[in-house]
Amino acid sequence: MNYSLIRDPEATIQGKLDDFLSRTCHGNVFQSRDMFMFYKGYEKWWPLFVGVEDEKGRMCGVLLGTIQREKTGILGLFTARCVVIAGPVIDGDLGVQERQKIAGLLLDQFVSQVKKSAIYIQVRNLFSQADLASVFRSRKFHYLDHLNYIVDTADRQSLEKKISGSKKRQVRQSLKNGARIIEPERVEQVQVFYSILKELYKKKVKKPLPDWSFFREFFNHSMAGRLGKYFLIEYQQEIVGGIMCPITPGKGIYEWYICGRDGEFKGIYPSVLATWAAIDYALENNLEFFDFMGAGAPDKDYGVREFKSKFGGELVRHGRYLRVNRPWLYALGKFGIKLMEKFS
């Protein structure tokens, strides 16, 4: 079968894309029309879109990612990278050879757009892309082993048997002692969440964090019923934590950002309650899964992995793909990150 590329997202995202993602098993919010518009509204990330359609004009593959920069001007060259989350998405009804052909078209077009403007391309798999491994390798993508936990939320009774006793107890204690799960109605509530998150990234995570406008933009979309939701933890009329969750309608909910003032209040566990808030939403709204969106590389210490393992999820190794476009800048950037982690 012959396929053609779609290079104009503005013309495409008005219907075809959402229809394709809704009928495809791995269709997800990170490759959606709403996510494209969200990225477009955030000035530090530039969305890139490539689609493929067949001879009948039926969409059968999509790849959406962003070029991200922490700085502007010359310094931006040293921080520019391209990140793809949960893509490419290709029609699951097609055979392996056709899927690989479409993947090749998507990746070739994507790389040609990105290779001069981003130091590297990182594809963060949220489902298995094993059947496309040879396609990635032939385009100079290297596989990186990476763990994740995915919680099956099809049945509450079955899941509650899997969640650790300590986490269930901490949820009960938090609620009993006066903590509440709320959905924000005012942007100021999300701003408090962001301040807690920013402090966490500064002291512990030590990785780039989008600025406030990113989280404000997500709130605006969520209030319009698009992209997902915030679940905030309130205690003594104060926001003490929360979670930012994109949602794929009818399928799953994801932990994109989470934080909490853990250890500050006796009998209150904000991060535990925030995680439970997303899982409980999935259970109440007939979603299939809650996705932690990463649990670190298996050969590296990752303290949060133990925390995530307590919520009854399945450990998966979908991994990531990395293509380095500018090796010397990539090496310099990795060196700079190590210095930041050492001296921050």
Side-chain angles (χ1 to χ4, degrees):
M1 183 176 290
N2 295 320
Y3 300 101
S4 58
L5 287 169
I6 304 169
R7 299 182 179 88
D8 181 7
E10 296 292 353
T12 303
I13 61 179
Q14 298 303 316
K16 276 189 178 182
L17 178 55
D18 287 348
D19 176 67
F20 166 66
L21 294 175
S22 68
R23 62 178 169 80
T24 305
C25 60
H26 292 308
N28 64 83
V29 65
F30 294 101
Q31 298 291 303
S32 70
R33 171 185 181 273
D34 285 341
M35 191 61 73
F36 178 88
M37 300 307 295
F38 168 63
Y39 289 149
K40 192 174 180 181
Y42 179 54
E43 62 180 11
K44 290 187 177 181
W45 290 10
W46 294 269
L48 296 167
F49 172 88
V50 184
V52 169
E53 61 183 12
D54 63 19
E55 297 163 334
K56 298 179 180 179
R58 187 170 180 263
M59 183 171 280
C60 46
V62 64
L63 182 55
L64 171 63
T66 56
I67 293 179
Q68 305 175 7
R69 294 183 181 182
E70 304 308 313
K71 304 292 183 180
T72 58
I74 297 298
L75 290 177
L77 295 175
F78 294 89
T79 61
R81 70 269 186 199
C82 180
V83 176
V84 175
I85 301 176
V89 173
I90 301 171
D91 192 338
D93 293 333
L94 297 173
V96 174
Q97 288 187 336
E98 291 300 307
R99 284 174 50 79
Q100 290 177 341
K101 182 177 180 180
I102 293 168
L105 291 170
L106 290 169
L107 289 174
D108 287 342
Q109 180 66 19
F110 201 79
V111 169
S112 71
Q113 292 185 46
V114 170
K115 63 182 179 181
K116 292 184 179 180
S117 54
I119 298 170
Y120 64 86
I121 305 170
Q122 184 185 81
V123 178
R124 300 176 182 177
N125 298 328
L126 295 186
F127 49 87
S128 176
Q129 300 269 32
D131 62 334
L132 304 180
S134 61
V135 183
F136 278 99
R137 285 196 302 269
S138 65
R139 272 76 180 176
K140 298 182 180 179
F141 282 86
H142 301 282
Y143 179 80
L144 304 175
D145 204 4
H146 203 83
L147 304 174
N148 189 21
Y149 281 99
I150 299 178
V151 180
D152 185 340
T153 54
D155 180 73
R156 180 181 294 272
Q157 187 174 6
S158 175
L159 175 57
E160 288 184 348
K161 292 178 181 178
K162 299 176 184 177
I163 299 176
S164 76
S166 64
K167 295 306 170 200
K168 288 189 285 190
R169 185 166 56 252
Q170 288 169 354
V171 169
R172 289 195 301 267
Q173 286 179 350
S174 297
L175 295 172
K176 181 180 178 181
N177 291 330
R180 294 197 308 139
I181 299 167
I182 66 168
E183 293 185 31
E185 298 178 348
R186 306 186 313 276
V187 71
E188 291 80 10
Q189 294 170 303
V190 179
Q191 199 160 14
V192 177
F193 160 82
Y194 176 70
S195 68
I196 300 170
L197 184 68
K198 188 176 180 180
E199 189 71 10
L200 173 67
Y201 268 67
K202 180 181 178 181
K203 290 185 175 180
K204 293 185 178 181
V205 180
K206 297 183 179 179
K207 292 181 180 179
L209 178 70
D211 64 24
W212 160 239
S213 63
F214 177 89
F215 297 88
R216 182 186 62 211
E217 187 74 11
F218 190 91
F219 172 74
N220 292 337
H221 278 70
S222 70
M223 292 298 287
R226 299 191 298 269
L227 275 187
K229 290 180 176 289
Y230 282 102
F231 300 101
L232 303 183
I233 307 306
E234 185 183 66
Y235 178 63
Q236 296 180 342
Q237 299 182 325
E238 186 178 0
I239 302 301
V240 297
I243 186 170
M244 174 180 164
C245 295
I247 298 172
T248 301
K251 294 183 181 180
I253 184 170
Y254 309 80
E255 177 197 287
W256 207 353
Y257 291 98
I258 186 171
C259 64
R261 291 167 57 186
D262 300 314
E264 293 189 29
F265 311 98
K266 185 177 180 180
I268 304 295
Y269 305 90
S271 294
V272 173
L273 196 55
T275 304
W276 170 248
I279 293 173
D280 190 53
Y281 179 86
L283 291 166
E284 288 293 317
N285 290 274
N286 299 314
L287 298 180
E288 298 172 4
F289 60 84
F290 167 71
D291 191 325
F292 275 103
M293 290 189 67
D299 59 345
K300 295 181 181 179
D301 291 334
Y302 184 67
V304 183
R305 186 184 303 141
E306 178 69 15
F307 175 88
K308 294 182 177 183
S309 71
K310 302 297 184 181
F311 289 89
E314 177 188 1
L315 183 65
V316 296
R317 305 178 79 132
H318 298 323
R320 294 177 172 181
Y321 284 104
L322 176 70
R323 185 187 196 276
V324 178
N325 299 322
R326 298 186 178 185
W328 72 273
L329 280 176
Y330 180 74
L332 186 62
K334 288 182 69 177
F335 178 71
I337 290 173
K338 287 182 179 179
L339 285 180
M340 182 183 73
E341 292 176 345
K342 183 176 181 180
F343 294 107
S344 295

